[in-house]
Amino acid sequence: MENSKKKVIEEAVVKFVGDSGDGMQLTGTIFSESAALSGNDISTFPDYPAEIRAPHNTIAGVSGFQAHIGRYKLRTTGDLCDILVAMNPASLKANLKWAKKGGTLIVDSDTFDEKALGSCNYQSNPLEDGSLKNYSLIKVPMSSHALETGKKLNFENKVAEKSKNMYALGIISFLFNSKLDILYNTLDKKFSKKPEIAELNKKVLEAGYKYAQDSKLFPTTYEIPPAEMEKGRYRNVTGDMAAAWGLIAASEKSGRPLFLGSYPITPATDIIIELAKHKSLGVKVFQAEDEIAGVCSAIGASYAGSLAVTSTSGPGFSLKSEALGLAVMTELPLVVVDVQRGGPSTGLPTKSEQSDLLQALYGRNGECPLMVMAASSSAQCFYATYQAAKVAMEHMTPVIILMDGFLANGSELFKIPKMADMPAITPPLAQPNDPEYKPYRRDEKTFVRQWALPGMEGLRHRVGGLEKEDIYGNVSTDPQNHQKMVDFRAAKIAKIADSLPLQEISGPDEGDLLVVSWGSTKGAVLSAVLELQKKGLKISHTNFEYIMPLPKNTPEVFSKFRKIVVCELNSGQFAGYLRALHPQYQYLQYNKIQGLPFTVSELVSEFTKILEEK
């Protein structure tokens, strides 16, 4: 390292890309976790191919992992990457558009042979034809070097060559002055059941590090100082993991056992997997034969007194709609976690989209109101599902919490809270032998009925999908009673707004432009707004996490801005909803439906254009 200068930087975006079998997810995870253990903040996003076992070295089979590391609180996974590590021609071709001009490309030169170049339609070798002159290109024979290291340890060629991703990690680790002992410890944990594989990966990683050092690959190496973060215990979590933990915390706080009835579906399956690990905490997980059985089993568990949850994505969510009507009619608590993806139909299974908002708001037969919420970051999924469970139980209603693939698969640092600091959850449980109990007798202020569990002495009652008589719960087709019960159910959801926090604004509470987002777009939109605020522009931002009902001060927030633009990853579903509820305001739109999150740069450009228009 004598000839390498060390430069202190604020942040960096690194993306690892390769074939599906090249271990890019593992490489990116280890790199980002080691950065976190060194004190940096991180925000990551894995990019999975939609096809299962796509042909080798094709665009369809490219897998990637983007890691944003910094010395301050990060809100996005970064726009374009500073360093792109490409393990084959297809991954370079698919991802070159995401690399900054002047950025660094580190490629495995062993894989750029004539056959591989032809399979992804390269007319010539990009490593030799000058087409990459606008980048700092570093060619390393990673596959052969990894193979050579594995042979010295007596590993078969097939096994040794698979470790080439660790060779790439070694090169990147040298570039960022990463601590090898942290990387080694991480590998030991990842391969605790296969110590010989851990040893191979460590040796190959070390070989890549040493090659970068001895070959003087980089005139400058980088160091990102530790971030100044609030003291506490942190964990790198994905949105699915955080959502599962939030449900477990709500179960503990409410005293209600947790039951999940679900069917596996991308990108929500990891919620099932994570909850299944915690049987010791009383969690019950039922993997149903289909989506309908999943939600119906959860409704049964709710009737029996559990904190009942079902998780799914868009296609499965549509199958659950009839059962959601049953949960609304019976007025039972139920949490529905919808991890949105691109649609319609099977759509883009591994790509992110805010595609299900209208389905969540209206996708049921009859007058069927329920609460709809949206999580805003991977770590915030913990608090979102906790709050959804609290509202569901305290207001005896289904609650839909909208996540998406970007949140579910992405990860960030999560400060683990103390249970004592979490809000109380007090379900309206009926008391045994209460002479005043009736199944549809309601609280006069909230219109919430009591939750009587099977087996409670003296509280025998009947609920079901047919309309019920007010107070007594007998089946009723009386027109006036139906009107009254429809009104009660709607009023109960509207009354939830009384317990919600007021809508907050980032920036001045009045100005030229208010940028509105909801859910996962918060980080990118807020970053763009802050960038323009630094230039002195009169722009502010508000992000909605509560959608049905909206916070009570929503009209007041909107009234103080000359223009309002609604940003969302769909064709304008939230904008249309706002027009219906608050038509007195005009709403501009900025929409994107590409299976990709917003970039900060495109938002800055769009907001600047809107501000300049008279």
Side-chain angles (χ1 to χ4, degrees):
M1 283 178 61
E2 298 81 16
N3 296 325
S4 292
K5 297 179 181 178
K6 186 187 293 186
K7 182 179 179 181
V8 175
I9 58 175
E10 297 289 305
E11 61 177 324
V13 179
V14 182
K15 189 168 188 180
F16 300 90
V17 293
D19 217 46
S20 291
D22 285 341
M24 295 297 93
Q25 309 305 323
L26 176 63
T27 309
T29 298
I30 293 175
F31 173 71
S32 55
E33 287 185 355
S34 68
L37 289 168
S38 298
N40 300 133
D41 193 23
I42 63 171
S43 180
T44 75
F45 183 65
D47 186 13
Y48 302 102
E51 293 187 28
I52 299 173
R53 295 180 182 173
H56 179 67
N57 195 50
T58 59
I59 301 296
V62 173
S63 177
F65 190 103
Q66 184 157 310
H68 189 186
I69 59 177
R71 67 177 299 180
Y72 56 86
K73 176 61 182 172
L74 302 175
R75 298 185 183 89
T76 73
T77 57
D79 284 5
L80 302 179
C81 55
D82 301 291
I83 295 129
L84 178 68
V85 180
M87 304 302 289
N88 65 354
S91 61
L92 177 64
K93 188 169 189 177
N95 287 276
L96 188 61
K97 59 188 173 184
W98 303 119
K100 289 180 181 176
K101 289 292 189 292
T104 300
L105 307 179
I106 304 173
V107 299
D108 181 1
S109 57
D110 283 334
T111 62
F112 282 71
D113 56 33
E114 186 175 343
K115 181 180 178 182
L117 291 167
S119 65
C120 54
N121 297 319
Y122 267 120
Q123 300 304 310
S124 59
N125 189 338
L127 307 187
E128 310 294 343
D129 63 11
S131 60
L132 302 177
K133 62 183 179 181
N134 292 326
Y135 305 90
S136 174
L137 176 62
I138 296 176
K139 300 176 284 186
V140 181
M142 301 185 205
S143 296
S144 56
H145 284 188
L147 186 63
E148 183 181 335
T149 303
K151 281 183 177 179
K152 293 177 182 177
L153 297 172
N154 297 318
F155 279 93
E156 295 179 0
N157 289 355
K158 188 176 180 181
V159 176
E161 193 173 356
K162 279 187 175 181
S163 66
K164 63 184 179 182
N165 59 326
M166 291 297 108
Y167 198 89
L169 180 58
I171 294 171
I172 288 293
S173 299
F174 172 80
L175 180 59
F176 283 95
N177 291 280
S178 302
K179 298 175 182 177
L180 290 180
D181 58 336
I182 293 178
L183 292 163
Y184 292 160
N185 289 336
T186 303
L187 284 169
D188 284 333
K189 289 178 182 177
K190 294 285 183 186
F191 297 101
S192 59
K193 295 182 180 179
K194 295 182 177 180
E196 69 283 0
I197 299 298
E199 190 61 27
L200 169 64
N201 282 322
K202 286 192 287 186
K203 290 294 185 184
V204 173
L205 187 153
E206 183 182 350
Y209 189 100
K210 195 170 186 304
Y211 178 83
Q213 183 180 47
D214 295 345
S215 302
K216 301 178 179 61
L217 285 184
F218 308 105
T220 303
T221 63
Y222 303 106
E223 181 178 349
I224 301 176
E228 292 184 6
M229 302 181 71
E230 188 180 349
K231 287 185 178 180
R233 188 179 182 188
Y234 288 83
R235 174 77 183 267
N236 183 28
V237 296
T238 64
D240 277 350
M241 185 187 301
W245 290 5
L247 294 168
I248 295 171
S251 172
E252 180 179 331
K253 200 74 171 182
S254 65
R256 297 288 88 209
L258 176 58
F259 175 90
L260 176 82
S262 287
Y263 182 77
I265 183 171
T266 301
T269 303
D270 281 348
I271 296 174
I272 305 175
I273 294 171
E274 183 62 30
L275 285 175
K277 297 176 183 177
H278 300 289
K279 295 178 183 178
S280 62
L281 299 177
V283 178
K284 293 181 177 64
V285 174
F286 169 55
Q287 182 176 315
E289 66 268 28
D290 57 36
E291 296 282 1
I292 298 171
V295 65
C296 288
S297 68
I299 292 172
S302 178
Y303 180 77
S306 292
L307 164 52
V309 184
T310 189
S311 56
T312 189
S313 187
F317 187 38
S318 61
L319 293 171
K320 296 179 188 290
S321 60
E322 182 181 358
L324 288 181
L326 173 62
V328 169
M329 177 64 87
T330 55
E331 299 186 50
L332 285 167
L334 175 69
V335 176
V336 183
V337 185
D338 175 22
V339 186
Q340 302 165 99
R341 70 191 205 190
S345 188
T346 313
L348 305 174
T350 62
K351 307 302 179 184
S352 194
E353 193 172 296
Q354 292 181 305
S355 51
D356 298 344
L357 178 59
L358 293 183
Q359 185 179 191
L361 291 169
Y362 307 120
R364 296 164 296 282
N365 68 296
E367 299 292 331
C368 197
L370 44 69
M371 185 174 187
V372 179
M373 297 173 54
S376 59
S377 75
S378 294
Q380 197 269 335
C381 288
F382 172 89
Y383 295 100
T385 54
Y386 184 94
Q387 181 67 9
K390 175 180 169 66
V391 172
M393 287 187 283
E394 292 185 341
H395 293 268
M396 295 294 287
T397 180
V399 175
I400 296 170
I401 177 72
L402 295 173
M403 294 167 48
D404 55 42
F406 180 71
L407 297 186
N409 295 326
S411 74
E412 62 181 345
L413 290 184
F414 168 58
K415 183 186 176 188
I416 300 174
K418 296 179 180 178
M419 282 302 297
D421 296 333
M422 298 300 292
I425 300 178
T426 53
L429 291 174
Q431 298 302 310
N433 294 313
D434 179 0
E436 299 298 316
Y437 172 77
K438 294 292 183 293
Y440 287 94
R441 190 186 300 279
R442 301 173 185 278
D443 181 280
E444 293 181 359
K445 293 181 179 178
T446 63
F447 304 108
V448 174
R449 77 177 190 90
Q450 289 186 311
W451 195 3
L453 313 183
M456 280 187 169
E457 238 181 278
L459 303 186
R460 189 168 55 180
H461 65 287
R462 175 171 60 177
V463 298
L466 292 171
E467 184 63 280
K468 297 294 178 288
E469 181 186 8
D470 182 31
I471 300 178
Y472 301 100
N474 301 315
V475 173
S476 172
T477 57
D478 177 73
Q480 297 304 318
N481 180 78
H482 179 51
Q483 177 79 58
K484 182 188 291 186
M485 294 297 276
V486 166
D487 291 344
F488 274 144
R489 289 189 288 265
K492 181 177 71 169
I493 300 303
K495 275 289 183 181
I496 295 174
D498 292 343
S499 62
L500 299 181
L502 295 178
Q503 188 68 16
E504 296 182 349
I505 300 174
S506 298
D509 60 5
E510 60 182 24
D512 292 332
L513 178 63
L514 176 66
V515 183
V516 175
S517 62
W518 66 273
S520 67
T521 56
K522 177 182 179 179
V525 174
L526 177 57
S527 297
V529 169
L530 291 174
E531 191 171 317
L532 292 174
Q533 285 176 352
K534 290 177 182 177
K535 297 179 180 179
L537 299 177
K538 295 179 180 179
I539 182 172
S540 297
H541 169 242
T542 188
N543 185 77
F544 283 87
E545 294 174 3
Y546 299 99
I547 296 175
M548 169 74 87
L550 292 169
K552 296 178 73 172
N553 66 326
T554 298
E556 180 185 349
V557 169
F558 288 170
S559 68
K560 297 180 180 180
F561 290 87
R562 193 166 60 87
K563 293 181 180 179
I564 301 171
V565 59
V566 183
C567 303
E568 46 188 328
L569 301 175
N570 56 44
S571 295
Q573 296 182 23
F574 190 52
Y577 175 64
L578 291 174
R579 289 189 187 102
L581 292 183
H582 300 293
Q584 66 271 40
Y585 307 108
Q586 291 188 344
Y587 305 94
L588 302 173
Q589 293 179 210
Y590 186 65
N591 304 105
K592 181 176 180 178
I593 320 169
Q594 301 173 16
L596 298 167
F598 287 126
T599 63
V600 175
S601 57
E602 71 179 305
L603 293 171
V604 167
S605 176
E606 180 65 20
F607 301 158
T608 302
K609 189 190 308 179
I610 292 172
L611 284 164
E612 290 174 348
E613 290 174 349
K614 293 184 179 180

